[in-house]
Amino acid sequence: APEKKFLGDGDGEIPQTLRLLEKNAFIQIIMGRQPLSYFDEFVQEWYAQGGTQLLQNIRDNCDE
């Protein structure tokens, strides 16, 4: 059976700043303060604020 790999502490954890960004974006869309198209803006901001590095860390850890 293939060896199961788990993310180490912090390697795959979503930083607080990204969690807050996500929560705020979803709340604004749900409450009608932002249009659904705002999701695309949120995604760009998520990547810019550390999402790109987070995903790279996860990919690197899974490739080992």
Side-chain angles (χ1 to χ4, degrees):
E3 177 186 347
K4 289 186 178 182
K5 295 187 180 187
F6 298 94
L7 297 175
D9 290 340
D11 287 341
E13 185 176 328
I14 299 174
Q16 176 91 10
T17 53
L18 293 180
R19 286 196 313 245
L20 284 173
L21 182 69
E22 180 180 302
K23 180 180 174 183
N24 289 335
F26 291 168
I27 287 172
Q28 289 183 52
I29 291 170
I30 291 167
M31 296 191 67
R33 293 184 188 150
Q34 293 286 354
L36 187 55
S37 60
Y38 177 71
F39 182 78
D40 293 335
E41 187 177 322
F42 151 73
V43 170
Q44 290 179 347
E45 189 66 25
W46 189 87
Y47 280 118
Q49 288 195 27
T52 301
Q53 186 61 49
L54 175 67
L55 291 176
Q56 187 60 51
N57 291 350
I58 292 170
R59 286 185 187 115
D60 291 347
N61 199 353
C62 289
D63 289 342
E64 292 176 357

